[in-house]
CSV table of all heavy atoms in Angstrom, one decimal:
chain,number,residue,atom,x,y,z
A,15,THR,N,1.7,-11.7,11.2
A,15,THR,CA,1.1,-10.7,12.1
A,15,THR,C,0.6,-9.5,11.3
A,15,THR,O,1.0,-9.2,10.2
A,15,THR,CB,2.0,-10.3,13.2
A,15,THR,OG1,3.1,-9.5,12.7
A,15,THR,CG2,2.6,-11.5,13.9
A,16,PHE,N,-0.2,-8.6,12.0
A,16,PHE,CA,-0.6,-7.4,11.4
A,16,PHE,C,0.6,-6.5,11.1
A,16,PHE,O,0.7,-5.9,10.1
A,16,PHE,CB,-1.6,-6.6,12.3
A,16,PHE,CG,-1.8,-5.2,11.9
A,16,PHE,CD1,-2.7,-4.9,10.9
A,16,PHE,CD2,-1.1,-4.2,12.5
A,16,PHE,CE1,-2.9,-3.6,10.5
A,16,PHE,CE2,-1.3,-2.9,12.1
A,16,PHE,CZ,-2.2,-2.6,11.1
A,17,TRP,N,1.5,-6.4,12.1
A,17,TRP,CA,2.6,-5.5,11.9
A,17,TRP,C,3.5,-5.9,10.8
A,17,TRP,O,4.0,-5.1,10.0
A,17,TRP,CB,3.4,-5.4,13.2
A,17,TRP,CG,4.7,-4.6,13.0
A,17,TRP,CD1,6.0,-5.1,13.0
A,17,TRP,CD2,4.9,-3.2,12.7
A,17,TRP,NE1,6.9,-4.2,12.7
A,17,TRP,CE2,6.3,-3.0,12.5
A,17,TRP,CE3,4.0,-2.2,12.5
A,17,TRP,CZ2,6.8,-1.7,12.2
A,17,TRP,CZ3,4.5,-0.9,12.2
A,17,TRP,CH2,5.8,-0.7,12.1
A,18,GLU,N,3.7,-7.2,10.6
A,18,GLU,CA,4.5,-7.7,9.5
A,18,GLU,C,3.9,-7.4,8.2
A,18,GLU,O,4.6,-7.0,7.2
A,18,GLU,CB,4.7,-9.2,9.6
A,18,GLU,CG,5.6,-9.7,10.7
A,18,GLU,CD,5.6,-11.2,11.0
A,18,GLU,OE1,4.5,-11.8,10.8
A,18,GLU,OE2,6.7,-11.8,11.3
A,19,TRP,N,2.6,-7.4,8.1
A,19,TRP,CA,1.9,-7.1,6.9
A,19,TRP,C,2.0,-5.6,6.6
A,19,TRP,O,2.3,-5.2,5.5
A,19,TRP,CB,0.4,-7.5,7.0
A,19,TRP,CG,-0.5,-7.1,5.9
A,19,TRP,CD1,-0.6,-7.7,4.7
A,19,TRP,CD2,-1.4,-6.0,6.0
A,19,TRP,NE1,-1.6,-7.0,4.0
A,19,TRP,CE2,-2.1,-6.0,4.7
A,19,TRP,CE3,-1.8,-5.1,6.9
A,19,TRP,CZ2,-3.1,-5.0,4.4
A,19,TRP,CZ3,-2.8,-4.1,6.6
A,19,TRP,CH2,-3.4,-4.1,5.4
A,20,PHE,N,1.7,-4.8,7.6
A,20,PHE,CA,1.8,-3.3,7.4
A,20,PHE,C,3.2,-2.8,7.1
A,20,PHE,O,3.4,-2.0,6.2
A,20,PHE,CB,1.2,-2.6,8.7
A,20,PHE,CG,1.2,-1.1,8.6
A,20,PHE,CD1,0.3,-0.4,7.9
A,20,PHE,CD2,2.2,-0.4,9.2
A,20,PHE,CE1,0.3,0.9,7.8
A,20,PHE,CE2,2.3,1.0,9.1
A,20,PHE,CZ,1.3,1.7,8.4
A,21,TYR,N,4.2,-3.4,7.8
A,21,TYR,CA,5.6,-3.0,7.6
A,21,TYR,C,6.0,-3.3,6.2
A,21,TYR,O,6.7,-2.5,5.6
A,21,TYR,CB,6.4,-3.7,8.7
A,21,TYR,CG,7.9,-3.5,8.5
A,21,TYR,CD1,8.5,-2.4,9.2
A,21,TYR,CD2,8.7,-4.4,7.8
A,21,TYR,CE1,9.9,-2.2,9.1
A,21,TYR,CE2,10.1,-4.2,7.7
A,21,TYR,CZ,10.7,-3.1,8.3
A,21,TYR,OH,12.0,-2.9,8.2
A,22,ALA,N,5.6,-4.5,5.7
A,22,ALA,CA,6.0,-4.9,4.3
A,22,ALA,C,5.4,-3.9,3.3
A,22,ALA,O,6.0,-3.6,2.3
A,22,ALA,CB,5.6,-6.3,4.1
A,23,ILE,N,4.1,-3.5,3.6
A,23,ILE,CA,3.5,-2.5,2.6
A,23,ILE,C,4.2,-1.2,2.6
A,23,ILE,O,4.5,-0.6,1.6
A,23,ILE,CB,2.0,-2.3,3.0
A,23,ILE,CG1,1.2,-3.6,2.6
A,23,ILE,CG2,1.4,-1.1,2.3
A,23,ILE,CD1,-0.2,-3.5,3.1
A,24,VAL,N,4.6,-0.7,3.8
A,24,VAL,CA,5.3,0.6,3.9
A,24,VAL,C,6.6,0.5,3.2
A,24,VAL,O,7.0,1.4,2.4
A,24,VAL,CB,5.5,0.9,5.4
A,24,VAL,CG1,6.4,2.2,5.5
A,24,VAL,CG2,4.2,1.2,6.1
A,25,LYS,N,7.3,-0.6,3.3
A,25,LYS,CA,8.6,-0.8,2.7
A,25,LYS,C,8.5,-0.9,1.1
A,25,LYS,O,9.2,-0.2,0.4
A,25,LYS,CB,9.3,-2.0,3.2
A,25,LYS,CG,10.7,-2.3,2.6
A,25,LYS,CD,11.4,-3.4,3.3
A,25,LYS,CE,12.8,-3.7,2.7
A,25,LYS,NZ,13.7,-2.5,2.7
A,26,LEU,N,7.5,-1.6,0.7
A,26,LEU,CA,7.2,-1.7,-0.7
A,26,LEU,C,6.9,-0.4,-1.3
A,26,LEU,O,7.4,0.0,-2.4
A,26,LEU,CB,6.1,-2.7,-1.0
A,26,LEU,CG,5.7,-2.9,-2.5
A,26,LEU,CD1,6.7,-3.9,-3.1
A,26,LEU,CD2,4.3,-3.5,-2.7
A,27,THR,N,6.0,0.4,-0.7
A,27,THR,CA,5.6,1.7,-1.1
A,27,THR,C,6.8,2.7,-1.2
A,27,THR,O,7.0,3.4,-2.2
A,27,THR,CB,4.5,2.3,-0.3
A,27,THR,OG1,3.4,1.3,-0.2
A,27,THR,CG2,4.0,3.6,-0.8
A,28,LYS,N,7.6,2.7,-0.1
A,28,LYS,CA,8.8,3.5,-0.1
A,28,LYS,C,9.8,3.2,-1.2
A,28,LYS,O,10.3,4.1,-1.8
A,28,LYS,CB,9.4,3.4,1.3
A,28,LYS,CG,10.7,4.2,1.5
A,28,LYS,CD,11.3,4.0,2.8
A,28,LYS,CE,12.6,4.8,3.0
A,28,LYS,NZ,13.2,4.6,4.4
A,29,ASP,N,10.0,1.9,-1.5
A,29,ASP,CA,11.0,1.5,-2.4
A,29,ASP,C,10.6,1.6,-3.9
A,29,ASP,O,11.4,1.8,-4.7
A,29,ASP,CB,11.5,0.1,-2.1
A,29,ASP,CG,12.2,0.0,-0.8
A,29,ASP,OD1,12.6,1.1,-0.2
A,29,ASP,OD2,12.4,-1.1,-0.2
A,30,HIS,N,9.3,1.3,-4.1
A,30,HIS,CA,8.9,1.1,-5.5
A,30,HIS,C,7.6,1.9,-5.9
A,30,HIS,O,7.4,2.1,-7.1
A,30,HIS,CB,8.6,-0.4,-5.8
A,30,HIS,CG,9.7,-1.3,-5.6
A,30,HIS,ND1,10.8,-1.3,-6.5
A,30,HIS,CD2,10.0,-2.1,-4.6
A,30,HIS,CE1,11.7,-2.2,-6.1
A,30,HIS,NE2,11.3,-2.7,-4.9
A,31,LEU,N,6.8,2.4,-5.0
A,31,LEU,CA,5.5,3.0,-5.4
A,31,LEU,C,5.4,4.4,-4.9
A,31,LEU,O,4.3,5.0,-4.9
A,31,LEU,CB,4.4,2.1,-4.8
A,31,LEU,CG,4.5,0.6,-5.0
A,31,LEU,CD1,3.4,-0.1,-4.2
A,31,LEU,CD2,4.4,0.3,-6.5
A,32,HIS,N,6.5,5.0,-4.4
A,32,HIS,CA,6.4,6.3,-3.7
A,32,HIS,C,5.7,7.3,-4.6
A,32,HIS,O,4.7,8.0,-4.1
A,32,HIS,CB,7.8,6.7,-3.3
A,32,HIS,CG,7.9,8.0,-2.6
A,32,HIS,ND1,8.1,9.2,-3.3
A,32,HIS,CD2,7.8,8.3,-1.3
A,32,HIS,CE1,8.1,10.2,-2.4
A,32,HIS,NE2,7.9,9.7,-1.2
A,33,ARG,N,6.2,7.5,-5.8
A,33,ARG,CA,5.6,8.6,-6.6
A,33,ARG,C,4.1,8.3,-7.0
A,33,ARG,O,3.3,9.2,-7.0
A,33,ARG,CB,6.4,8.7,-7.9
A,33,ARG,CG,5.9,9.7,-8.9
A,33,ARG,CD,6.9,10.0,-10.0
A,33,ARG,NE,7.1,8.8,-10.8
A,33,ARG,CZ,6.4,8.4,-11.9
A,33,ARG,NH1,5.4,9.2,-12.2
A,33,ARG,NH2,6.7,7.4,-12.5
A,34,PHE,N,3.8,7.1,-7.3
A,34,PHE,CA,2.5,6.7,-7.7
A,34,PHE,C,1.5,6.9,-6.5
A,34,PHE,O,0.4,7.4,-6.7
A,34,PHE,CB,2.4,5.3,-8.1
A,34,PHE,CG,3.3,4.9,-9.2
A,34,PHE,CD1,4.1,3.8,-9.2
A,34,PHE,CD2,3.5,5.8,-10.3
A,34,PHE,CE1,5.0,3.5,-10.2
A,34,PHE,CE2,4.4,5.5,-11.4
A,34,PHE,CZ,5.1,4.3,-11.3
A,35,TYR,N,1.9,6.6,-5.3
A,35,TYR,CA,1.1,6.8,-4.1
A,35,TYR,C,0.8,8.3,-3.9
A,35,TYR,O,-0.3,8.7,-3.6
A,35,TYR,CB,1.6,6.1,-2.9
A,35,TYR,CG,0.6,5.8,-1.8
A,35,TYR,CD1,-0.1,4.7,-1.8
A,35,TYR,CD2,0.3,6.8,-0.9
A,35,TYR,CE1,-1.1,4.4,-0.8
A,35,TYR,CE2,-0.6,6.6,0.1
A,35,TYR,CZ,-1.3,5.4,0.1
A,35,TYR,OH,-2.3,5.2,1.1
A,36,LYS,N,1.9,9.1,-3.9
A,36,LYS,CA,1.7,10.5,-3.7
A,36,LYS,C,0.9,11.2,-4.7
A,36,LYS,O,0.2,12.2,-4.4
A,36,LYS,CB,3.1,11.2,-3.6
A,36,LYS,CG,4.0,10.7,-2.4
A,36,LYS,CD,5.2,11.6,-2.3
A,36,LYS,CE,4.8,13.0,-1.8
A,36,LYS,NZ,6.0,13.8,-1.4
A,37,GLU,N,0.8,10.6,-5.9
A,37,GLU,CA,0.0,11.2,-7.0
A,37,GLU,C,-1.4,10.6,-7.0
A,37,GLU,O,-2.2,10.8,-7.9
A,37,GLU,CB,0.7,11.0,-8.3
A,37,GLU,CG,2.0,11.8,-8.5
A,37,GLU,CD,2.7,11.5,-9.8
A,37,GLU,OE1,2.1,10.8,-10.7
A,37,GLU,OE2,3.7,12.1,-10.0
A,38,ASN,N,-1.7,9.8,-5.9
A,38,ASN,CA,-3.1,9.3,-5.8
A,38,ASN,C,-3.5,8.3,-6.9
A,38,ASN,O,-4.6,8.2,-7.3
A,38,ASN,CB,-4.1,10.4,-5.7
A,38,ASN,CG,-5.3,10.0,-4.9
A,38,ASN,OD1,-5.3,9.1,-4.0
A,38,ASN,ND2,-6.5,10.5,-5.3
A,39,LEU,N,-2.5,7.6,-7.4
A,39,LEU,CA,-2.7,6.6,-8.5
A,39,LEU,C,-3.0,5.2,-7.9
A,39,LEU,O,-3.4,4.3,-8.7
A,39,LEU,CB,-1.6,6.6,-9.5
A,39,LEU,CG,-1.2,7.9,-10.1
A,39,LEU,CD1,0.0,7.7,-11.0
A,39,LEU,CD2,-2.4,8.5,-10.9
A,40,ILE,N,-2.8,5.1,-6.6
A,40,ILE,CA,-3.0,3.7,-6.0
A,40,ILE,C,-4.1,3.8,-5.0
A,40,ILE,O,-4.0,4.7,-4.1
A,40,ILE,CB,-1.6,3.3,-5.3
A,40,ILE,CG1,-0.5,3.1,-6.4
A,40,ILE,CG2,-1.8,2.0,-4.5
A,40,ILE,CD1,0.8,2.8,-5.8
A,41,ALA,N,-5.1,2.9,-5.1
A,41,ALA,CA,-6.2,2.9,-4.2
A,41,ALA,C,-5.7,2.4,-2.8
A,41,ALA,O,-6.1,2.9,-1.8
A,41,ALA,CB,-7.3,2.0,-4.7
A,42,GLY,N,-4.8,1.5,-2.8
A,42,GLY,CA,-4.1,1.1,-1.6
A,42,GLY,C,-4.8,0.2,-0.7
A,42,GLY,O,-5.1,-1.0,-0.9
A,43,PHE,N,-5.2,0.8,0.5
A,43,PHE,CA,-5.8,0.0,1.6
A,43,PHE,C,-7.3,-0.2,1.4
A,43,PHE,O,-8.2,0.5,2.0
A,43,PHE,CB,-5.6,0.7,2.9
A,43,PHE,CG,-4.1,0.8,3.3
A,43,PHE,CD1,-3.4,1.9,3.1
A,43,PHE,CD2,-3.5,-0.3,3.8
A,43,PHE,CE1,-2.0,2.0,3.4
A,43,PHE,CE2,-2.1,-0.3,4.2
A,43,PHE,CZ,-1.4,0.9,4.0
A,44,ILE,N,-7.7,-1.1,0.5
A,44,ILE,CA,-9.1,-1.4,0.3
A,44,ILE,C,-9.1,-3.0,0.1
A,44,ILE,O,-8.2,-3.6,-0.3
A,44,ILE,CB,-9.7,-0.8,-1.0
A,44,ILE,CG1,-9.0,-1.2,-2.3
A,44,ILE,CG2,-9.7,0.8,-0.9
A,44,ILE,CD1,-9.7,-0.7,-3.5
A,45,ALA,N,-10.3,-3.5,0.5
A,45,ALA,CA,-10.5,-4.9,0.5
A,45,ALA,C,-10.8,-5.4,-0.9
A,45,ALA,O,-11.2,-4.6,-1.8
A,45,ALA,CB,-11.6,-5.3,1.5
A,46,LYS,N,-10.7,-6.7,-1.1
A,46,LYS,CA,-11.0,-7.3,-2.5
A,46,LYS,C,-12.4,-7.1,-2.9
A,46,LYS,O,-12.7,-6.7,-4.0
A,46,LYS,CB,-10.6,-8.8,-2.4
A,46,LYS,CG,-10.8,-9.5,-3.8
A,46,LYS,CD,-10.3,-10.9,-3.7
A,46,LYS,CE,-10.4,-11.6,-5.0
A,46,LYS,NZ,-10.0,-13.1,-4.9
A,47,ASP,N,-13.3,-7.3,-1.9
A,47,ASP,CA,-14.8,-7.1,-2.3
A,47,ASP,C,-15.1,-5.7,-2.5
A,47,ASP,O,-16.0,-5.3,-3.3
A,47,ASP,CB,-15.7,-7.7,-1.2
A,47,ASP,CG,-15.4,-7.2,0.2
A,47,ASP,OD1,-14.4,-6.4,0.3
A,47,ASP,OD2,-16.1,-7.5,1.1
A,48,GLN,N,-14.4,-4.7,-1.8
A,48,GLN,CA,-14.7,-3.3,-2.1
A,48,GLN,C,-14.2,-2.9,-3.5
A,48,GLN,O,-14.8,-2.1,-4.2
A,48,GLN,CB,-14.0,-2.5,-1.0
A,48,GLN,CG,-14.2,-1.0,-1.2
A,48,GLN,CD,-13.5,-0.1,-0.2
A,48,GLN,OE1,-12.8,-0.7,0.8
A,48,GLN,NE2,-13.5,1.2,-0.3
A,49,ALA,N,-13.0,-3.5,-3.9
A,49,ALA,CA,-12.5,-3.2,-5.2
A,49,ALA,C,-13.5,-3.7,-6.3
A,49,ALA,O,-13.7,-3.0,-7.3
A,49,ALA,CB,-11.2,-3.9,-5.4
A,50,GLN,N,-14.1,-4.8,-6.0
A,50,GLN,CA,-15.1,-5.4,-7.0
A,50,GLN,C,-16.3,-4.5,-7.1
A,50,GLN,O,-16.8,-4.2,-8.2
A,50,GLN,CB,-15.5,-6.8,-6.5
A,50,GLN,CG,-16.5,-7.5,-7.5
A,50,GLN,CD,-16.6,-9.0,-7.3
A,50,GLN,OE1,-15.7,-9.5,-6.6
A,50,GLN,NE2,-17.6,-9.6,-7.9
A,51,GLN,N,-16.8,-4.0,-5.9
A,51,GLN,CA,-17.9,-3.0,-5.9
A,51,GLN,C,-17.6,-1.8,-6.7
A,51,GLN,O,-18.4,-1.2,-7.4
A,51,GLN,CB,-18.3,-2.7,-4.5
A,51,GLN,CG,-18.9,-3.9,-3.7
A,51,GLN,CD,-19.2,-3.6,-2.3
A,51,GLN,OE1,-19.0,-2.4,-1.8
A,51,GLN,NE2,-19.5,-4.6,-1.5
């Protein structure tokens, strides 16, 4: 489900990516085709 997907991302970010996300080193919520562009 959508919630399962979003909840897992929040948990991953909190546990392993917290500092990188706060320092704007992670693009995060973008689609695969947008990344390619």
Side-chain angles (χ1 to χ4, degrees):
T15 66
F16 167 82
W17 171 250
E18 288 172 325
W19 174 77
F20 180 78
Y21 177 87
I23 287 176
V24 173
K25 183 171 178 57
L26 182 79
T27 306
K28 179 181 178 180
D29 292 346
H30 298 286
L31 312 173
H32 182 265
R33 177 169 63 88
F34 305 135
Y35 198 92
K36 292 191 72 172
E37 293 178 3
N38 205 31
L39 302 179
I40 297 176
F43 295 101
I44 62 172
K46 185 176 181 180
D47 56 353
Q48 183 183 354
Q50 184 163 345
Q51 293 174 7

